[in-house]
Amino acid sequence: MEATEQPDEPAFQVYASFPRVVAFGVDLDLSPSNWDWVHCLEIPIDTLSKLNFSPRPYKWIRYAIGVVVGAEGDLSSCAHELNVVDYDAVLPIESATLYYHTSDDERRRMFPLDPHMAPTNITSSASSPRKDDFRSAMADRDGRCVLAEVTLMGCDAVHLLAHSKGDEYISLYTERRSRDPAGDDIVREIDSIRNGILLNAITHRVLGKNVAFLPMPNFAMNTTDVDPSLPPGENRFTAHLFEPCELSLLVGRRPGSPIRVSDHKNWPPAILFDAVYATTILYHFGTTRVRVMIDKTWKNIFYEDGIMNRSQVEHKELIDAQVQDKQKTERQAQERNARLEHHERSNTSPFDLLMALPYILVPQDELRATFREAREKAEKEKQERLKEKVEAWNWQVISSGL
């Protein structure tokens, strides 16, 4: 584990562990010698105090690193053993280093080796008529903005996972993150009503950048951890603003306000809200090193034949916020500039970062060979299924005497 330069101001330094070797057709090597700690998040304590996401900040940090990594675990003050932190503790004055420990089962969840789960050259195609139907479905279910008192005319039909990613991508992503034994949180179509909400246009522009909605209860937090006046198990989606000086982004609502949740059976699964929240976490608190590592892995491995039709990340709102936020320290401003410069150099989407993160320590030549083998097996199985269908059809024709 590399030594981390201590920041000028107190901050949480959050580490997660990833393997150096994964192999197709072989059980994931869970031995400690195969796993290294990576500095993933740096969260200034003063910033977290201003954001006021929860009176129990350690619970929030546990949720934050958990949705970024895609595994449930516990925060520990020690890298070599699980010394669980006091989740009810208040913010400290001094910097703190936290290690996110996950069980063997959770580590296996991070690395599905089924060839059907292997990444492919996913295109961003989706039909326009389906997109029109998507807006109509949002209007019928939500009626108006789920956050503010904004009528349908002032709202966008928002895809939680970007429309440009396409059906195969959302199917793969939700399979990777599914937590429902019955698979009811898996979404197969990008224009499914379960991938969308009706949201005012102002907040839409910064969703996943400066605004995200926290689903509760979740594995790390119950509803009381955000609003002590509510029952712990009450379902709630809380609007969190990551730029406290930009209250206008919530269109008249206060940070920490709940959004209006439909009781419709096709309300989006929590894992999609988790993913949007995770991209916001990575944008504001992801270390430069981990972002560069993820970006390199995604480009060189997941799209080894080239990336097709990926939308560019928009930065104007964050740049404006940087200018207006004069209370930021010089170091925080420099870090933001570094993040923006990295975004400008890279067209890797926020969701792509989450997909590639678990593989960042694996040598790229080895990982490329592993994924190629998985793709070849998946294609072979696909051809075999097609052959069986043709043979079955031919047998039906012969049997019918045609």
Side-chain angles (χ1 to χ4, degrees), residues 105-375:
D105 286 342
E106 286 297 313
R107 287 182 170 184
R108 292 187 184 97
R109 284 180 53 86
M110 294 165 59
F111 299 93
L113 297 180
D114 184 332
H116 302 292
M117 299 291 283
T120 59
N121 283 332
I122 302 164
T123 67
S124 61
S125 61
S127 65
S128 296
R130 283 200 305 163
K131 195 172 182 180
D132 293 338
D133 292 342
F134 178 78
R135 180 174 177 82
S136 297
M138 293 298 102
D140 291 341
R141 188 193 67 195
D142 298 338
R144 55 183 171 83
C145 175
V146 299
L147 173 64
E149 296 297 327
V150 178
T151 61
L152 179 61
M153 292 295 293
C155 291
D156 296 332
V158 176
H159 290 79
L160 295 175
L161 197 157
H163 177 264
S164 63
K165 305 309 288 186
D167 293 343
E168 188 176 356
Y169 190 103
I170 193 171
S171 181
L172 173 63
Y173 185 88
T174 52
E175 285 178 6
R176 284 279 303 270
R177 296 292 178 115
S178 174
R179 286 284 171 181
D180 188 337
D184 289 339
D185 55 356
I186 297 174
V187 180
R188 298 297 183 186
E189 296 182 356
I190 201 69
D191 284 318
S192 167
I193 188 175
R194 301 181 69 225
N195 183 39
I197 55 174
L198 204 62
L199 189 64
N200 71 80
I202 294 175
T203 307
H204 179 197
R205 285 189 290 111
V206 293
L207 185 66
K209 303 182 186 77
N210 282 344
V211 174
F213 303 134
L214 174 70
M216 290 176 298
N218 54 59
F219 82 95
M221 307 174 70
N222 60 47
T223 309
T224 304
D225 294 325
V226 171
D227 187 342
S229 68
L230 296 177
E234 180 171 319
N235 290 326
R236 174 185 167 115
F237 290 75
T238 301
H240 279 173
L241 179 63
F242 284 72
E243 289 291 344
C245 61
E246 292 292 331
L247 295 176
S248 62
L249 298 178
L250 295 182
V251 193
R253 296 286 279 169
R254 294 177 58 83
S257 297
I259 67 172
R260 184 169 47 83
V261 178
S262 171
D263 58 2
H264 196 286
K265 65 179 180 179
N266 283 327
W267 180 254
I271 56 172
L272 288 180
F273 286 97
D274 287 340
V276 174
Y277 205 99
T279 65
T280 315
I281 290 293
L282 271 178
Y283 188 88
H284 284 267
F285 304 123
T287 63
T288 301
R289 177 174 180 263
V290 80
R291 293 185 63 85
V292 170
M293 293 170 69
I294 298 170
D295 187 62
K296 183 177 180 181
T297 299
W298 178 263
K299 285 194 209 179
N300 294 346
I301 305 300
F302 281 64
Y303 280 98
E304 63 176 9
D305 297 324
I307 301 171
M308 295 175 283
N309 301 323
R310 291 190 294 172
S311 58
Q312 298 294 320
V313 179
E314 298 179 1
H315 309 298
K316 183 177 182 302
E317 295 81 9
L318 288 176
I319 296 174
D320 292 342
Q322 177 188 337
V323 173
Q324 296 172 15
D325 189 4
K326 296 181 180 180
Q327 295 182 351
K328 296 286 186 182
T329 63
E330 181 178 350
R331 180 178 178 279
Q332 287 176 291
Q334 291 173 346
E335 288 178 351
R336 171 164 295 168
N337 285 335
R339 289 198 299 268
L340 290 173
E341 290 172 2
H342 177 67
H343 276 301
E344 291 168 358
R345 293 193 303 268
S346 167
N347 60 359
T348 305
S349 81
F351 279 86
D352 296 344
L353 299 179
L354 301 181
M355 292 279 275
L357 175 61
Y359 303 95
I360 58 176
L361 294 185
V362 183
Q364 294 196 3
D365 56 343
E366 296 179 12
L367 189 58
R368 187 178 291 109
T370 295
F371 282 159
R372 186 178 294 114
E373 182 182 356
R375 291 190 187 106

